[in-house]
Amino acid sequence: MHKKLIAISKQLSPKSQQIITMMNNYISDSGLTLKGVSLANCSIHELYTALTHAIRKSIMPQWANTLNAYNKQDAKQVFYFSMEFLMGRMTGNNIANLNLNKELQEIVDFLKAVNPKLANSTDAKNELEKIEEDWGLGNGGLGRLAACFLDSGATLRLPLHGMGLWYDYGIFKQEIRDGHQTEQPDVWGDNAMPWMIKNNSGAVAVKFGGHMSVEHGKCEIKGYESVAMVPFIAPVIGYSSDGKPNINKLTLWKVNPQSGAINFPAINSGDYHGAYRNVINPDHAVLNSVLYPNDNHTPGKVLRLMQEFSLVSAGLQSIVSDYLKSGKDISQFGETVGLQINDTHAALLVPELMRILIDEHNLSWQDAWEITQKTIAYTNHTVLGEALEKWDAGLLRNLLPRQYNIIEELNLNFCNQIRKQFPVDENKVRGMSIIQDGQVKMAHLAIVGGHSINGVAALHTEILKNDVLHDFFVMFPDKFHNVTNGITQRRWMAQANPELASLITSLIGDGWITNLSELKKLEQYANDPAVLKNLIGIKTANKKALADYIYTTNTTKDGKGKIVGRTQVDPNSIFDVQAKRLHEYKRQLMSALHILMLYNKLKANPSMDFTPRTFMFAAKSAPGYHTAKNVIKFINMLADLINNDPQVKGRIKVVFLENYNVSLAEKLIPAADLSEQISTAGLEASGTGNMKFSLNGALTIGTMDGANVEMARDIGEENMFIFGLTTPEVKKAKSEGYNPWSVYSSNSEVRQLVDQMKNGQIGKNNDEKRVAAELINGVMNNDHYLVLRDLPAYAEAQSKVAETYKDQMEWARLALINIARMSYFSSDRSIQEYANDIWEIKPVTPQ
């Protein structure tokens, strides 16, 4: 067999031979050879591990070259602090960015020829790649944006690194049982380890509690508890056609590895000791338990704050340490280091950097303050008041006494600055104060403590300037910027939709992979029948693949998790998709009410002309978000009702895709015909799912909210299905006392569905009737997100969707126009704007 391996491997390209050799070396070095294991007989899991270790080893020289180039050129480096990095699976992305897809296919063919476990596989490449779980480091758009930004930074050869936390169990693995969301542990990390390098020498101590002691004018903390945090470092590989990319770093901080099983329900209830009963040192291990622990109880709030500070303190200590090792003076820290706060979770960078500069390096308050402001920038991601973090002042004081002391001093200085600029206006002082009514406002801290705040879409930034943060804008107009979000086309087309990518490359070349403005050239084919038919064929194939996945994988389960059904969907129907975090302002409920409307119409007139439609939802609700969980149950109630009604004859199908993550998105987005972007105008900061769907040829039904506004500007409203109140109209409706009962009175279809839900006609048992009644009563009592107000306009827009879809060539023409006009929405453009306007960093090319 060994001679056969050598003979076959000689037929491979030099790069493939190198990787095969490294795979053999890994098997030998790991001791598997002593057990009689080789590439010819090892398991698929062992093949995956050997492959990823081989690729990682092959990039080490280029990784070192990149980091050495940054240091030799004294380049300013930026560290992107984020609680979320929704990376998905790394192996396929890294292979694509290294331009090794052809070599991977050679290696897979070689392994199929020599290893019986792969020999009969119809998709051996996927068999290997799916060993890796999605990295459980995020929940939604915030984390996926961060991942796109890291990809773009490395591709643009910019010194941009990620700084995050390792979570043992991610946010959670969602399982739908009897229509309800249940949360299970998301054990993701084991198969990601080949890409991780544990750096024990980089461990730091993070300190909590204690009390301040001032001696000889210097402040020290005594009586504190210390937690040792260890960095795990993963390569962030930029795209390079020549195989010589920049390779940046994603550092994930982790308490010493835990052992033993976690009790996930105990985590959600706040019983952290119970959850980690079998774990060594549970007080420490719990810091890395889950992303966003349920915080509707005090233990959850404490854990969240500890997590946020662990990220800030560990990350900042390591950055300062590396900076000083280069021989630079701490007084010049802000010249070659930038710290970006992604949302308010890392706002404690402000007092922690001040503490390090003052207490550890003896800088004056004023010097430390100037460095801190020069170094830090903040991205705001929300206009929702409840999402702008506020921490209980007492909790922060007890947990982080010195940092709270610094915040108090900052706030005193800032309030005096406000009084100086706006005399005799104490209301303004109270409204802008960092500490107010026993709470520390983290957005205010980030704005005051940094040199920049940016919104993430033009509309969002204007709302920040004119409404939510207006007083700060008046006081600091030069701090405010807009950087509209973007997505990486390399992940969201080249990798997720390879057939579409191939078609586009055959028409306009492959320049779009690194320059999305090249897509504009596609528009010349908007009326080319051959191109449009190819586009339809690719979409149909993607829809068939998704339909197979739904039938085989997305099964219906009872309350105990037993499979009780499977759903067949029609690839010829409209695939109408809403995939995003479950929140009331995103209005999944409005879509569900529209489905009930359509169902009522079909029941009243079974022979009506009706364009078949498959409604798909994919979303996770926060574990403690009662209303959002009710929406998930209601959607599944509709699925049970409609999918099993013989009178409907399959013309409407409803599917809830459980455990939405990046890998599922890579199947779902290329198959979508219609993208649902229907949030209440003025509440969605940007959105990036809207961009992914449009880039893959889905048409958008949406409100003029977030980045939809800029998409409509570039794509053209006539090529989308825009409906509903605008932001000024939402504000006006609320100020005029909008009453949902007025819609009920004037619209018979709305009246019918409201009565059905209120009166127990929807639901086959008391639990389901409760869910329906709670949801509709909530809307009728306080329709804060204007669900009923926009529902008739939404239904009208959906009628236009159904009519347009009947002409498949016209639909394909609109899809092609959407793709061609997406050039602005690349994360490459976003990151270049950050680099130019906020960070002031330049590209560096390794030698």
Side-chain angles (χ1 to χ4, degrees):
M1 177 58 74
H2 182 66
K3 291 181 179 179
K4 180 182 178 182
L5 287 174
I6 295 174
I8 298 176
S9 66
K10 286 182 178 179
Q11 301 171 21
L12 305 178
S13 67
K15 186 65 178 180
S16 297
Q17 289 183 38
Q18 178 193 20
I19 293 172
I20 292 290
T21 299
M22 289 180 173
M23 290 177 70
N24 277 314
N25 290 343
Y26 169 78
I27 288 175
S28 175
D29 293 344
S30 62
L32 290 173
T33 303
L34 297 176
K35 300 176 183 179
V37 175
S38 71
L39 289 181
N41 61 13
C42 63
S43 69
I44 293 176
H45 190 284
E46 289 164 338
L47 286 174
Y48 159 79
T49 305
L51 175 64
T52 50
H53 272 280
I55 295 172
R56 193 190 80 187
K57 187 173 182 179
S58 75
I59 67 170
M60 294 305 287
Q62 186 64 14
W63 197 358
N65 288 342
T66 302
L67 301 180
N68 289 336
Y70 295 160
N71 292 328
K72 285 180 181 178
Q73 296 187 32
D74 199 22
K76 182 177 182 180
Q77 300 188 53
V78 173
F79 298 86
Y80 195 85
F81 278 74
S82 180
M83 290 294 282
E84 296 188 40
F85 287 96
L86 200 57
M87 307 300 290
R89 291 172 176 158
M90 291 289 282
T91 303
N93 191 70
N94 288 344
I95 288 168
N97 278 4
L98 288 165
N99 205 24
L100 290 177
N101 279 323
K102 290 182 180 178
E103 286 80 3
L104 177 64
Q105 191 58 57
E106 279 190 343
I107 292 166
V108 168
D109 290 342
F110 165 79
L111 294 174
K112 286 186 69 173
V114 301
N115 190 308
K117 296 182 180 67
L118 277 182
N120 297 321
S121 174
T122 56
D123 191 357
K125 179 174 175 286
N126 184 54
E127 286 284 315
L128 287 170
E129 288 185 355
K130 74 180 184 182
I131 294 294
E132 180 183 13
E133 298 285 344
D134 275 43
W135 289 29
L137 302 172
N139 179 35
L142 187 76
R144 189 53 232 168
L145 178 75
C148 286
F149 279 3
L150 293 188
D151 176 273
S152 288
T155 298
L156 294 173
R157 300 193 182 278
L158 294 169
L160 174 64
H161 310 287
M163 195 68 72
L165 285 181
W166 175 298
Y167 305 101
D168 292 329
Y169 296 94
I171 186 163
F172 57 81
K173 182 179 180 181
Q174 181 193 57
E175 187 175 357
I176 304 300
R177 294 187 176 186
D178 191 29
H180 289 283
Q181 170 180 293
T182 63
E183 298 93 24
Q184 309 297 330
D186 177 17
V187 185
W188 68 275
D190 292 347
N191 295 327
M193 286 305 293
W195 293 112
M196 292 288 188
I197 298 174
K198 184 181 180 183
N199 179 19
N200 284 316
S201 65
V204 300
V206 176
K207 301 172 182 177
F208 296 100
H211 61 273
M212 290 190 300
S213 173
V214 180
E215 298 178 8
H216 307 296
K218 187 172 182 178
C219 183
E220 292 186 24
I221 302 296
K222 296 185 176 180
Y224 58 81
E225 291 191 13
S226 181
V227 177
M229 303 290 289
V230 179
F232 288 73
I233 302 171
V236 178
I237 303 170
Y239 176 84
S240 174
S241 58
D242 64 2
K244 296 179 180 179
N246 278 41
I247 304 177
N248 293 334
K249 298 187 297 183
L250 170 60
T251 301
L252 302 175
W253 291 92
K254 190 180 193 306
V255 178
N256 284 330
Q258 57 91 9
S259 61
I262 185 175
N263 180 339
F264 203 79
I267 281 284
N268 280 333
S269 69
D271 179 13
Y272 298 112
H273 280 87
Y276 278 83
R277 205 175 303 280
N278 299 320
V279 175
I280 300 169
N281 203 344
D283 284 322
H284 293 179
V286 75
L287 271 175
N288 286 108
S289 56
V290 293
L291 169 66
Y292 301 145
N294 195 352
D295 66 349
N296 58 8
H297 42 64
T298 299
K301 289 181 172 64
V302 173
L303 178 55
R304 278 207 188 194
L305 182 56
M306 291 180 71
Q307 285 184 334
E308 291 183 7
F309 183 69
S310 296
L311 165 60
V312 162
S313 180
L316 192 51
Q317 286 184 67
S318 70
I319 293 166
V320 172
S321 175
D322 289 343
Y323 173 86
L324 294 174
K325 285 176 185 175
S326 67
K328 299 172 187 173
D329 191 280
I330 194 66
S331 64
Q332 301 301 307
F333 186 74
E335 300 297 326
T336 55
V337 174
L339 306 175
Q340 185 68 35
I341 300 172
N342 189 33
D343 214 350
T344 53
H345 304 124
L348 288 169
L349 277 168
V350 175
E352 179 66 354
L353 180 54
M354 289 287 288
R355 183 197 66 78
I356 290 173
L357 295 173
I358 295 170
D359 296 351
E360 296 184 11
H361 296 282
N362 302 313
L363 267 63
S364 70
W365 178 277
Q366 186 58 36
D367 288 344
W369 183 234
E370 290 176 2
I371 292 170
T372 297
Q373 285 192 306
K374 184 178 181 62
T375 304
I376 290 174
Y378 158 53
T379 299
N380 174 283
H381 285 278
T382 185
V383 299
L384 296 176
E386 67 267 25
L388 290 169
E389 272 192 315
K390 304 175 190 69
W391 285 109
D392 178 79
L395 171 61
L396 211 157
R397 184 192 304 112
N398 292 334
L399 200 62
L400 305 169
R402 176 54 171 154
Q403 289 77 10
Y404 183 78
N405 170 254
I406 290 171
I407 292 171
E408 281 189 313
E409 184 74 15
L410 289 177
N411 191 51
L412 178 62
N413 294 341
F414 177 53
C415 288
N416 288 335
Q417 186 181 354
I418 300 170
R419 290 186 180 101
K420 184 177 180 180
Q421 189 164 340
F422 305 101
V424 299
D425 192 349
E426 285 301 307
N427 286 331
K428 192 176 292 289
V429 175
R430 281 191 292 272
M432 298 177 71
S433 177
I434 298 170
I435 304 173
Q436 184 64 38
D437 298 327
Q439 292 184 315
V440 181
K441 300 178 180 180
M442 305 309 281
H444 294 193
L445 177 63
I447 295 167
V448 175
H451 64 88
S452 171
I453 169 178
N454 71 278
V456 292
L459 174 63
H460 171 232
T461 302
E462 289 306 304
I463 292 172
L464 293 179
K465 292 194 294 187
N466 298 324
D467 187 359
V468 178
L469 298 172
H470 177 66
D471 288 341
F472 287 93
F473 175 61
V474 171
M475 193 165 183
F476 307 119
D478 293 340
K479 286 192 179 187
F480 280 71
H481 299 85
N482 177 65
V483 182
T484 298
N485 285 343
I487 59 172
T488 166
Q489 62 270 27
R490 292 168 289 280
R491 184 69 179 246
W492 292 107
M493 184 185 287
Q495 184 177 338
N497 202 345
E499 294 302 320
L500 178 59
S502 295
L503 173 63
I504 291 172
T505 297
S506 72
L507 296 173
I508 64 171
D510 65 0
W512 62 271
I513 297 174
T514 52
N515 180 8
L516 204 58
S517 63
E518 289 287 302
L519 288 185
K520 294 174 183 177
K521 297 176 182 177
L522 279 177
E523 201 156 346
Q524 64 185 297
Y525 298 101
N527 294 301
D528 186 319
V531 170
L532 297 182
K533 287 177 181 177
N534 275 335
L535 199 60
I536 292 170
I538 291 167
K539 180 66 73 173
T540 301
N542 290 335
K543 291 170 74 173
K544 288 179 178 177
L546 180 61
D548 289 344
Y549 171 86
I550 290 170
Y551 184 78
T552 58
T553 307
N554 201 77
T555 55
T556 303
K557 295 183 271 297
D558 65 14
K560 295 182 179 179
K562 179 183 177 182
I563 295 174
V564 294
R566 299 179 186 273
T567 304
Q568 286 186 322
V569 300
D570 179 8
N572 294 314
S573 66
I574 302 173
F575 277 19
D576 182 326
V577 178
Q578 190 170 12
K580 55 184 75 250
R581 181 169 53 90
L582 207 306
H583 196 288
E584 288 166 272
Y585 86 86
K586 295 177 183 287
R587 300 201 294 192
Q588 285 94 342
L589 178 58
M590 185 168 73
S591 183
L593 295 179
H594 171 249
I595 294 170
L596 183 54
M597 239 187 208
L598 289 180
Y599 176 67
N600 287 337
K601 281 186 176 182
L602 265 182
K603 292 291 285 183
N605 183 10
S607 61
M608 69 180 289
D609 180 32
F610 192 90
T611 306
R613 186 87 66 112
T614 300
F615 293 96
M616 300 185 191
F617 296 84
K620 289 182 179 180
S621 162
Y625 194 169
H626 179 76
T627 300
K629 284 189 159 184
N630 273 350
V631 172
I632 291 175
K633 173 61 177 175
F634 182 62
I635 291 167
N636 284 295
M637 286 163 53
L638 292 177
D640 184 45
L641 173 68
I642 297 170
N643 296 355
N644 296 306
D645 189 334
Q647 206 171 13
V648 174
K649 298 179 181 177
R651 287 173 289 178
I652 303 176
K653 284 289 180 74
V654 182
V655 177
F656 192 96
L657 292 153
E658 70 179 7
N659 201 40
Y660 188 52
N661 57 20
V662 175
S663 293
L664 178 51
E666 289 171 338
K667 297 179 178 70
L668 181 61
I669 290 171
D673 293 306
L674 189 68
S675 165
E676 297 264 1
Q677 309 298 332
I678 60 175
S679 54
T680 310
L683 295 184
E684 183 70 81
S686 170
T688 52
N690 46 4
M691 304 169 191
K692 295 163 193 164
F693 281 105
S694 189
L695 182 67
N696 282 274
L699 306 190
T700 299
I701 183 168
T703 52
M704 290 296 269
D705 192 26
N708 289 357
V709 176
E710 289 153 283
M711 288 175 62
R713 175 200 67 197
D714 289 5
I715 296 170
E717 288 188 45
E718 70 278 8
N719 301 310
M720 305 167 75
F721 301 96
I722 300 296
F723 74 93
L725 299 184
T726 62
T727 301
E729 289 169 342
V730 167
K731 198 170 184 178
K732 182 181 178 185
K734 290 184 176 182
S735 68
E736 292 178 349
Y738 154 68
N739 187 343
W741 288 101
S742 62
V743 183
Y744 174 90
S745 300
S746 62
N747 189 303
S748 60
E749 292 180 322
V750 170
R751 187 161 57 251
Q752 180 183 6
L753 68 87
V754 170
D755 289 344
Q756 287 174 303
M757 294 175 70
K758 284 178 70 69
N759 299 334
Q761 298 171 44
I762 302 297
K764 60 187 180 183
N765 54 44
N766 288 336
D767 176 54
E768 293 189 350
K769 291 176 181 180
R770 172 196 59 80
V771 167
E774 282 186 6
L775 287 173
I776 204 62
N777 287 335
V779 169
M780 300 311 295
N781 291 332
N782 179 19
D783 190 8
H784 182 69
Y785 298 105
L786 285 79
V787 170
L788 242 56
R789 177 65 177 80
D790 270 348
L791 181 56
Y794 175 61
E796 183 179 351
Q798 286 281 18
S799 295
K800 293 177 183 176
V801 168
E803 192 60 32
T804 306
Y805 191 77
K806 291 177 181 178
D807 185 343
Q808 281 288 282
M809 292 295 279
E810 172 61 10
W811 189 275
R813 185 187 73 83
L814 294 173
L816 188 139
I817 289 173
N818 270 258
I819 297 167
R821 296 183 182 179
M822 283 300 293
S823 60
Y824 179 74
F825 300 98
S826 171
S827 52
D828 296 350
R829 185 268 313 152
S830 302
I831 285 298
Q832 194 62 62
E833 289 181 8
Y834 276 103
N836 294 341
D837 302 336
I838 297 175
W839 301 330
E840 297 182 347
I841 58 174
K842 304 291 184 183
V844 175
T845 302
Q847 298 300 316

